[in-house]
Amino acid sequence: MSKWINRAIIVFQFLYESRIAPFLTIYFWPLWYPFYLWARKNNICFVVNIAEGTGQVLPELDNFFQMRKLHEIDPNKKYVWLRTRNDFSKALIPLYKSQFYFACMSNLLYDMALPAILYFHDITHDAGMAGLHWQLPKQGKWHYPKPWQTYLYTDQKEHVLDLWKQWYERRNKNGTWYPLKEFAGAYLAPDKELQEFLGEDIANIALVHLKTNIMNATAQVTDPETYIPAIKYLIDHGYKPVFVGREKMPEIFNQLPIINYANSSKANFLHDLQLFSLAKVAITGGSGIAWIADTFNTPVLYLNSWHVCMSPWSQKCVYVPTRIKNNTGYYLSFFDQFELYKKTAFSDYGDVFLFTEYTPINASSEDILCGLTELLALCEHDQELSSLQKKFKTIHPSGWAQVSQSRVSNDFLRNNMQIARL
């Protein structure tokens, strides 16, 4: 019965956010005018447009804290964060509610306030960077969204890229400040349930993640065999691998001593955060999960993203991107590869890779192992960027590479100098 109740709530919430609330806002907004006046009088500001998804909710929350510290937004306003009930909210509201005047996980309160949030922009702060808006536009025409699309409209890619660059620039100004880790504090220590699942030895946890579906930054399903040398290297050097994410663990991994957290009953967003806070190192595919490591200061090897100039910010990140070749077998330069990303259209499921014209080539086992050894060396001692790594940062002005502290694997760049045109 509870399963059907949950499904009914999901359907209602979609209808309310995308159909009912906009209708109420457009035709009956005066009903919420007293609420608006009350919010203005009491200096209340609703933090809005933080998207669902690991690769959005954490960066956008971090971005809000970074902006507040730099006084880019009024630090004296009473910031309110209302969220619907889901796995992200269950983890994040208890961890960070102390940083808001009021923060709450409640479908009822969220739905009651939503028409005012949709209409009265001056009592909201847009913390979003995904270009997704749960507000009516200030100007221009608006249409009801497609079925199962809750956001009301989107920004162009160029604007989204600029928002992320601004976030990275704020992090450069604030230095080595990781607010999501600092504010959560002791609550990020593994709870009893997770600790019992991991076992007694949790001193050298290494997280392993790969992609088994094609979506957004991932244009090619990961071949799990390419991970084997790197995982064996971790085991030989005293690390305890834990498979994370929600993908099914590959059969070939069962031959190695890897804990399958991703497919266990313990997998939830709070435990994800605790694992990344605990881990000594992480290997991730082209997925938003890499930004848990990025915002928690966890060393990460970021693999197989065809969004070539869009790696995490962290100084402790080594990146091995996916390469692209056309139908004639000619590899695109990294500049042209990023131009291809900019030209591809958003779909209901993210970016659409043009498989009819191009073929993605993921990192080899050698690429991954070399990237891992470079990352582990970087964890031991700070390393200056090589001349190739410095040149890579200047490849494209629209990407994040120029303001990111991460680096592309030097061995990868040496082996692909012709593609990189460095």
Side-chain angles (χ1 to χ4, degrees):
M1 181 63 72
S2 62
K3 181 176 71 173
W4 292 106
I5 292 174
N6 288 336
R7 288 182 178 178
I9 291 172
I10 291 171
V11 171
F12 171 79
Q13 200 61 38
F14 158 72
L15 291 173
Y16 184 79
E17 291 182 28
S18 65
R19 300 294 189 274
I20 300 171
F23 176 83
L24 294 173
T25 302
I26 293 170
Y27 296 104
F28 300 99
W29 65 265
L31 294 176
W32 278 265
Y33 194 67
F35 177 81
Y36 163 72
L37 293 177
W38 169 82
R40 281 195 60 181
K41 180 180 179 181
N42 289 278
N43 207 25
I44 299 293
C45 184
F46 294 91
V47 179
V48 298
N49 295 332
I50 293 182
E52 305 299 342
T54 306
Q56 295 299 335
V57 67
L58 295 178
E60 289 168 351
L61 185 57
D62 183 281
N63 185 45
F64 166 71
F65 293 139
Q66 301 281 352
M67 292 182 76
R68 190 174 63 180
K69 183 175 183 180
L70 292 169
H71 288 200
E72 293 182 24
I73 56 177
D74 187 349
N76 297 314
K77 281 189 178 292
K78 299 174 181 177
Y79 290 101
V80 172
W81 194 26
L82 298 179
R83 288 188 56 84
T84 55
R85 181 174 292 274
N86 58 40
D87 200 29
F88 294 115
S89 302
K90 290 175 185 176
L92 295 175
I93 291 296
L95 290 178
Y96 302 112
K97 64 181 179 181
S98 63
Q99 300 304 313
F100 294 88
Y101 176 74
F102 179 74
C104 180
M105 174 181 63
S106 168
N107 287 26
L108 179 61
L109 287 180
Y110 178 85
D111 291 347
M112 289 174 61
L114 186 57
I117 291 171
L118 291 176
Y119 191 82
F120 299 107
H121 288 252
D122 59 332
I123 58 168
T124 67
H125 168 66
D126 185 351
M129 301 189 302
L132 308 179
H133 293 268
W134 285 264
Q135 290 180 292
L136 295 173
K138 295 178 183 179
Q139 297 176 340
K141 295 182 179 180
W142 175 82
H143 302 282
Y144 283 105
K146 298 176 183 178
W148 301 113
Q149 174 185 303
T150 58
Y151 56 87
L152 303 185
Y153 71 98
T154 63
D155 293 326
Q156 297 296 314
K157 274 190 177 182
E158 284 285 359
H159 182 58
V160 174
L161 287 168
D162 189 57
L163 290 173
W164 278 74
K165 285 175 69 175
Q166 290 177 35
W167 176 44
Y168 280 22
E169 287 167 349
R170 291 183 186 105
R171 297 177 73 182
N172 286 332
K173 291 177 183 177
N174 284 330
T176 56
W177 186 54
Y178 291 86
L180 298 188
K181 191 160 188 177
E182 178 183 313
F183 293 154
Y187 292 104
L188 289 176
D191 59 25
K192 183 179 179 182
E193 184 181 18
L194 181 60
Q195 192 155 3
E196 289 178 351
F197 176 76
L198 295 174
E200 294 183 3
D201 182 15
I202 59 172
N204 288 296
I205 294 292
L207 306 181
V208 178
H209 165 266
L210 51 71
K211 290 291 288 183
T212 58
N213 67 324
I214 294 172
M215 183 178 181
N216 289 328
T218 299
Q220 182 71 278
V221 171
T222 307
D223 178 357
E225 289 194 12
T226 60
Y227 272 49
I228 297 300
I231 295 173
K232 287 182 176 179
Y233 184 91
L234 288 170
I235 294 169
D236 291 343
H237 287 77
Y239 291 91
K240 185 175 185 177
V242 177
F243 186 68
V244 294
R246 298 297 183 269
E247 290 81 0
K248 182 179 179 181
M249 192 171 86
E251 289 291 332
I252 195 172
F253 285 8
N254 290 325
Q255 302 171 14
L256 300 170
I258 302 177
I259 297 174
N260 186 0
Y261 160 81
N263 307 138
S264 74
S265 61
K266 312 302 178 186
N268 60 53
F269 192 57
L270 177 58
H271 285 161
D272 293 342
L273 301 183
Q274 292 175 351
L275 273 171
F276 273 89
S277 179
L278 171 68
K280 297 294 185 183
V281 67
I283 301 174
T284 79
S287 164
I289 198 173
W291 273 264
I292 307 182
D294 182 47
T295 53
F296 277 42
N297 196 27
T298 304
V300 59
L301 177 62
Y302 183 54
L303 304 173
N304 298 333
S305 166
W306 72 280
H307 299 170
V308 68
C309 296
M310 297 165 60
S311 61
W313 174 86
S314 172
Q315 287 179 318
K316 296 178 181 178
C317 173
V318 173
Y319 173 33
V320 183
T322 294
R323 296 165 295 160
I324 304 297
K325 63 180 179 181
N326 60 23
N327 287 339
T328 65
Y330 180 77
Y331 281 95
L332 300 187
S333 71
F334 289 148
F335 177 88
D336 291 338
Q337 184 171 324
F338 195 66
E339 282 292 300
L340 178 65
Y341 159 74
K342 288 174 62 180
K343 293 174 184 176
T344 54
F346 282 128
S347 74
D348 295 341
Y349 305 100
D351 290 311
V352 177
F353 186 80
L354 301 176
F355 288 101
T356 56
E357 301 175 48
Y358 301 96
T359 301
I361 309 296
N362 279 346
S364 68
S365 57
E366 182 181 357
D367 291 331
I368 295 172
L369 182 57
C370 288
L372 177 63
T373 55
E374 182 175 351
L375 175 63
L376 294 176
L378 185 62
C379 293
E380 292 293 328
H381 303 286
D382 289 340
Q383 306 278 341
E384 285 288 326
L385 295 176
S386 71
S387 59
L388 290 176
Q389 289 169 328
K390 289 177 181 177
K391 288 179 180 178
F392 178 86
K393 287 182 172 291
T394 65
I395 281 178
H396 202 293
S398 295
W400 313 334
Q402 58 188 304
V403 291
S404 172
Q405 297 297 313
S406 63
R407 62 187 71 199
V408 175
S409 163
N410 196 55
D411 284 292
F412 176 83
L413 290 177
R414 258 201 315 263
N415 294 332
N416 293 277
M417 287 180 63
Q418 186 175 0
I419 302 172
R421 298 182 187 173
L422 298 175

